Amino acid sequence: MPSNKAVSAPGYARDTPTRPTVWPGNAYPLGATYDGGGTNFALFSEVAESVELCLIDEDGTESRIALDEVDGYVWHAYLPSVHPGQRYGFRVHGPFDPAAGHRCDPSKLLLDPYGKAFDGDFDFGPALFSYDMAAPDSDTLPMIDSLGHTMTSVVINPYFDWQSDRAPRTPYHETVIYEAHVKGMTQTHPGVPEELRGTYAGLAHPAIIDHLKSLNVTAIELMPVHQFMHDQRLLEMGLRNYWGYNTFGFFAPHNQYASQRQPGGAVAEFKTMVRTFHEEGIEVILDVVYNHTAEGNHLGPTINFRGIDNAAYYRLDDNDPRFYKDFTGTGNSLNARHPHTLQLIMDSLRYWVTEMHVDGFRFDLAATLARELHDVDRLSAFFDLVQQDPIVSQVKLIAEPWDVGEGGYQVGNFPGLWTEWNGKYRDTVRDYWRGEPATLGEFASRLTGSSDLYEATGRRPSASINFVTCHDGFTLNDLVSYNEKHNEANGEDNRDGESYNRSWNCGVEGPTDDPDILALRARQMRNILATLMLSQGTPMIAHGDEMGRTQQGNNNVYCQDSELSWMDWSLADKNADLLTFTRKATRLRRDHPVFRRRRFFEGEPIRSREQVCDIAWLTPSGREMTHEDWGTEFGKSIAVFLNGDAIPEPDARGERVVDDSFLLCFNAHDDVVEFIAPHSRYAAEWTAELDTTHPTGDGGLVVGAGQKISLPARSLLVLRKTA
């Protein structure tokens, strides 16, 4: 039978000759806070019966200090002798009763949930686990001390010279997001000094920033940089948790991405990186994982939350609290219903905005945060807190609007402040360009900002984060080169990763020397990139797509910390034409507000004197689409007129926005289609600005009203009104 009594760690000695001076301190802020004279420590645990602060010397010697002050379940003390660089942890004495959801184990040196930095590593030996690994179903507590087998928390110096740093605050409708991985982006770049590759400093190097600016990127969205753990299973297979969706430190930048490896060095280096990006007008958005932690299911290690207050921090099975509810597919789900867990999330978000100066967040599996009971609830406590928070509510908030639980697909259902990764945009654009039937209607909706998803909630086109590829799935090159995933390198017999990718290999699976297939693949990549930049909404480019990065058909490189997943910068020369094309497409979007309207199209004249609507949908013959045209099962070709003289919203100075008008000709057919330039009331003359049949998108074609345009198979032509 399990014991529900408090248990004590072996070798405990409350009073020692070296015991430092201890003052009562404060219950707020939580964590370790250095004020220039000493450090305040505060830890929440409602279940604890006593808590010890453990100071760890460089040689591993531990000094334990009882936290005798408790206010509102927060255990605290102030130590005037403790300064930045001090390693520490906690031991929590309380009930070990898995059947009741309690897993206190004072033999474990527990990491600070509010830790700003960490040092050391995990060895994944028996000391990390609060059960007998030979009999995992037993409720016997082995009491093996984890000191020396786990990481330690580190007190940091919060001071940093931000100089004249200012947040760019780029409006959503002017934003172009670039999703990137700190290590993957920099590991092989020849212009980044070797000692800086794979680091925050490397990411802020001029060679990387120049590349981003050449793409007209306004925001870099970093894959997880909160301190995370490499899974034991992966390490035993010779792999690593490359993506980093395995957080245990929600306040600390991941220390392995720091070029300066001294304890706490990652904090200053991260801040320097943000300051440098801001100097160049680029925002920094973090991909954050508040839906689960690295401790996994009931067989996972005890490193912090589990041993501090398991029932408060995690969603437990209502019928058997020894097990965890898992809406994430990772073994556990954070309990966003508990006030202290909500506080942890909100404190973390505010910290990264106020102290680290980041500009926004992309929330991994955000639907999990909204679960009050079983269903996803738009009015959950988390959303209420974000809505009223004067700091968090003012930065970019991007949801991955799904999780793996029942009813977890919530695209279009997030509150007004939020933007969303639009999975429907991704699927529709993929289907259209690979030639799926009956896609015209939905393609039109996605191209114009997905009003069916966002307009009813008062949101604007920018609420749709438009993407076709991201870290999760095929790269753009692989999307047009593989019909099937090829994840054998992951060691799971190709069972992992999405099996339905809406991809098309253009006739041959994988690498080929066939020039016709290679030309078609290159054109398809240009088609997709151009569509992304011409769509209303907020575009996101996956790192490396601009130069044809491949993962050799692996659509789940979460464990591949290798050249398979890193950016191959030699492609910048090998695929120079694609890079040039991408720059041209992003510049076209930047220079023309008609492609980044702040409001949805109305489909009718904005002012009575106008003869032309703000948007018109035309058949290849140049006439306006009818209901029957939209319902054509095999319709693959369409022209779209965008009226630059019918943009209703004013600019930042309140002046009317006037732009050129454009005609977009889409041909997803497998044969040439003859388009006819529409009636002269649209334009008397058109000049090509972007042509996906050309490797670099060069235009130059000039046509008059009523003239024929021969558009090759699977191509896109952008025409600008010039008369």
Side-chain angles (χ1 to χ4, degrees):
M1 295 293 292
S3 169
N4 60 3
K5 295 181 179 179
V7 289
S8 298
Y12 170 64
R14 169 174 287 197
D15 296 308
T16 65
T18 59
R19 188 174 188 268
T21 301
V22 180
W23 297 346
N26 298 295
Y28 187 86
L30 290 160
T33 307
Y34 175 69
D35 62 6
T39 303
N40 189 83
F41 294 90
L43 178 77
F44 159 76
S45 178
E46 186 173 352
V47 73
E49 297 175 8
S50 65
V51 174
E52 295 170 299
L53 168 66
C54 306
L55 303 180
I56 313 300
D57 295 340
E58 290 189 13
D59 63 0
T61 302
E62 176 185 9
S63 300
R64 302 183 188 177
I65 298 136
L67 300 183
D68 294 325
E69 297 289 333
V70 189
D71 292 291
Y73 303 115
V74 177
W75 308 71
H76 56 90
Y78 181 92
L79 278 68
S81 61
V82 171
H83 301 283
Q86 174 66 59
R87 297 169 178 84
Y88 71 98
F90 297 97
R91 295 185 187 272
V92 174
H93 301 256
F96 181 81
D97 186 2
H102 303 310
R103 295 179 178 270
C104 295
D105 181 357
S107 70
K108 303 296 175 274
L109 181 73
L110 301 174
L111 302 176
D112 187 352
Y114 279 71
K116 310 300 191 303
F118 298 94
D119 187 41
D121 210 341
F122 305 102
D123 67 6
F124 290 103
L128 288 186
F129 298 87
S130 295
Y131 59 87
D132 185 348
M133 299 186 72
D137 294 329
S138 169
D139 286 332
T140 302
L141 191 60
M143 296 294 288
I144 305 173
D145 196 333
S146 67
L147 177 60
H149 304 276
T150 187
M151 298 183 79
T152 57
S153 308
V154 180
V155 178
I156 67 159
N157 185 344
Y159 173 75
F160 180 76
D161 184 4
W162 282 103
Q163 300 174 8
S164 58
D165 181 66
R166 293 184 64 185
R169 295 193 178 279
T170 307
Y172 266 119
H173 71 285
E174 296 179 1
T175 296
V176 175
I177 299 173
Y178 188 92
E179 186 195 33
H181 188 283
V182 172
K183 184 174 183 179
M185 187 76 177
T186 60
Q187 189 65 23
T188 68
H189 197 299
V192 176
E194 189 170 351
E195 66 274 13
L196 299 183
R197 294 176 186 173
T199 70
Y200 304 118
L203 194 64
H205 190 273
I208 301 296
I209 289 179
D210 288 347
H211 178 75
L212 295 175
K213 294 184 72 174
S214 78
L215 293 170
N216 301 294
V217 165
T218 68
I220 186 168
E221 181 177 302
L222 300 181
M223 291 178 66
V225 296
H226 287 175
Q227 187 71 48
F228 62 85
M229 172 191 285
H230 293 286
D231 311 60
Q232 180 183 10
R233 179 184 65 86
L234 294 178
L235 294 174
E236 291 173 349
M237 296 169 62
L239 303 171
R240 289 160 62 85
N241 192 318
Y242 171 67
W243 283 352
Y245 292 93
N246 206 30
T247 308
F248 65 82
F250 294 108
F251 293 77
H254 189 63
N255 61 1
Q256 293 180 339
Y257 294 156
S259 61
Q260 303 298 320
R261 293 303 175 90
Q262 73 272 18
V267 178
E269 188 168 325
F270 184 92
K271 291 178 177 179
T272 302
M273 177 196 72
V274 172
R275 186 182 66 193
T276 303
F277 276 120
H278 284 180
E279 289 170 354
E280 300 295 337
I282 298 175
E283 294 182 304
V284 178
I285 298 171
L286 301 188
D287 191 339
V288 291
V289 191
Y290 294 112
N291 53 73
H292 74 279
T293 80
E295 289 185 302
N297 63 18
H298 62 290
L299 298 179
T302 299
I303 58 175
N304 52 359
F305 302 99
R306 193 194 308 277
I308 293 170
D309 197 328
N310 186 61
Y313 281 117
Y314 291 120
R315 295 289 300 271
L316 304 180
D317 189 301
D318 296 328
N319 298 317
D320 191 348
R322 72 175 58 240
F323 300 112
Y324 298 83
K325 286 187 176 179
D326 182 10
F327 298 117
T328 65
T330 59
N332 65 52
S333 301
L334 270 179
N335 184 11
R337 299 180 299 176
H338 193 283
H340 279 278
T341 304
L342 278 173
Q343 180 185 354
L344 172 100
I345 296 172
M346 295 304 299
D347 285 349
S348 171
L349 292 170
R350 279 190 293 269
Y351 175 80
W352 285 96
V353 176
T354 60
E355 297 296 322
M356 308 297 268
H357 286 206
V358 304
D359 304 283
F361 306 94
R362 178 266 187 187
F363 292 79
D364 179 65
L365 300 180
T368 300
L369 297 172
R371 289 185 180 273
E372 291 284 4
L373 294 172
H374 300 289
D375 297 327
V376 177
D377 182 356
R378 261 192 56 206
L379 301 178
S380 71
F382 172 68
F383 292 135
D384 290 344
L385 288 174
V386 169
Q387 178 72 39
Q388 60 81 41
D389 191 278
I391 294 172
V392 179
S393 65
Q394 299 306 302
V395 300
K396 286 183 167 67
L397 302 171
I398 304 171
E400 181 186 33
W402 49 78
D403 65 16
V404 300
E406 182 180 354
Y409 192 77
Q410 292 292 316
V411 173
N413 291 333
F414 275 67
L417 279 179
W418 292 71
T419 62
E420 301 173 15
W421 272 26
N422 191 343
K424 292 187 177 181
Y425 178 94
R426 171 200 60 205
D427 296 346
T428 300
V429 172
R430 289 186 179 196
D431 281 348
Y432 176 75
W433 282 114
R434 72 190 179 110
E436 286 295 292
T439 56
L440 273 185
E442 184 148 4
F443 180 71
S445 178
R446 304 301 157 234
L447 187 72
T448 54
S450 297
S451 61
D452 57 322
L453 299 177
Y454 304 113
E455 190 171 24
T457 55
R459 288 186 280 177
R460 296 187 173 185
S462 55
S464 175
I465 304 297
N466 296 331
F467 71 106
V468 182
T469 58
C470 64
H471 69 274
D472 189 2
F474 282 144
T475 65
L476 180 59
N477 189 322
D478 291 354
L479 186 68
V480 301
S481 303
Y482 295 90
N483 284 351
E484 308 295 336
K485 63 184 180 182
H486 297 270
N487 298 357
E488 291 81 6
N490 297 354
E492 299 180 41
D493 296 324
N494 206 35
R495 293 190 302 268
D496 63 303
E498 176 60 56
S499 296
Y500 182 49
N501 295 282
R502 289 183 161 89
S503 61
W504 179 48
N505 63 18
C506 297
V508 173
E509 186 75 356
T512 180
D513 294 327
D514 187 315
D516 292 336
I517 291 178
L518 291 174
L520 175 56
R521 288 176 177 177
R523 192 161 67 251
Q524 286 286 75
M525 285 192 281
R526 294 192 293 271
N527 289 335
I528 291 171
L529 285 168
T531 302
L532 183 63
M533 289 303 136
L534 299 172
S535 298
Q536 304 298 320
T538 306
M540 184 183 78
I541 304 169
H543 66 293
D545 279 354
E546 71 276 15
M547 50 192 188
R549 184 173 75 90
T550 179
Q551 294 171 171
Q552 300 173 25
N554 191 319
N555 72 352
N556 190 33
V557 295
Y558 78 102
C559 58
Q560 298 294 332
D561 188 358
S562 66
E563 292 182 353
L564 181 65
S565 56
W566 301 337
M567 287 268 283
D568 178 3
W569 285 96
S570 70
L571 294 174
D573 293 327
K574 180 180 178 181
N575 295 332
D577 286 347
L578 180 61
L579 183 55
T580 298
F581 177 89
T582 308
R583 289 167 174 165
K584 192 170 295 185
T586 59
R587 185 168 63 248
L588 184 67
R589 180 184 182 86
R590 181 199 66 190
D591 293 344
H592 292 284
V594 74
F595 298 122
R596 43 181 175 81
R597 291 166 50 107
R598 293 174 54 231
R599 298 177 186 172
F600 290 105
F601 290 102
E602 297 185 16
E604 58 186 30
I606 301 301
R607 288 169 292 279
S608 59
R609 71 175 186 275
E610 293 177 347
Q611 299 298 311
V612 182
C613 299
D614 54 0
I615 187 171
W617 302 94
L618 309 171
T619 67
S621 65
R623 63 174 175 80
E624 292 191 9
M625 296 275 287
T626 65
H627 179 75
E628 290 72 22
D629 293 324
W630 286 112
T632 301
E633 182 180 2
F634 295 102
K636 303 289 194 307
S637 303
I638 193 170
V640 189
F641 172 76
L642 303 180
N643 190 349
D645 194 42
I647 301 175
E649 63 270 15
D651 63 17
R653 294 174 296 180
E655 298 178 359
R656 181 186 168 208
V657 176
V658 178
D659 192 14
D660 294 322
S661 295
F662 286 85
L663 185 69
L664 315 180
C665 300
F666 294 89
N667 179 23
H669 270 296
D670 57 6
D671 200 356
V672 175
V673 171
E674 295 289 341
F675 281 73
I676 297 177
H679 191 276
S680 58
R681 73 188 181 99
Y682 291 100
E685 180 186 88
W686 300 94
T687 300
E689 290 290 320
L690 195 68
D691 184 352
T692 65
T693 63
H694 193 283
T696 60
D698 289 351
L701 173 71
V702 179
V703 296
Q707 289 187 347
K708 288 185 178 181
I709 307 167
S710 182
L711 203 59
R714 296 190 172 91
S715 63
L716 191 167
L717 180 65
V718 180
L719 298 166
R720 180 172 59 87
K721 177 181 178 180
T722 48

